[in-house]
């Protein structure tokens, strides 16, 4: 039988979902900081494109960031 701790479940924040911020090559991630502050009910995931040298690498980095988030959640 599994014992549930209902107090800890109630205190964990509930989120509305996840937003993946794709800032591109020329736009810093910090540009979305204020918007993230205005959306505290969401998880925010950013992708680091500093190693991307092609659109295919950008897609790969995006997929990796999302997979890493899903496995941590």
């Amino acid at each position: 039988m599994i014992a549930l701790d209902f107090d800890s479940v109630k205190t964990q924040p509930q989120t509305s979902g996840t937003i993946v911020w794709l800032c591109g090559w020329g736009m810093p991630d910090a540009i979305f900081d204020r918007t993230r502050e205005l959306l505290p009910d969401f998880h925010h995931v950013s992708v680091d494109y500093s190693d991307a040298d092609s659109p295919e690498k950008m897609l790969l980095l995006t997929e990796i960031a999302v997979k890493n988030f899903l496995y941590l959640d």
Side-chain angles (χ1 to χ4, degrees):
M1 183 170 158
I2 298 173
L4 295 176
D5 181 4
F6 289 107
D7 291 328
S8 67
V9 172
K10 290 178 188 174
T11 59
Q12 291 180 352
Q14 298 296 317
T15 61
S16 297
T18 301
I19 299 173
V20 179
W21 297 96
L22 305 173
C23 55
W25 281 311
M27 220 171 17
D29 183 55
I31 200 160
F32 296 115
D33 286 348
R34 179 69 178 130
T35 306
R36 283 190 277 259
E37 290 173 8
L38 296 171
L39 299 168
D41 293 337
F42 290 84
H43 288 287
H44 300 276
V45 177
S46 296
V47 181
D48 178 8
Y49 290 125
S50 60
D51 291 336
D53 56 2
S54 68
E56 292 79 15
K57 183 72 182 256
M58 289 177 74
L59 179 59
L60 177 64
L61 292 170
T62 302
E63 290 172 347
I64 290 169
V66 170
K67 285 179 185 176
N68 287 341
F69 172 77
L70 291 175
Y71 289 119
L72 290 176
D73 195 26

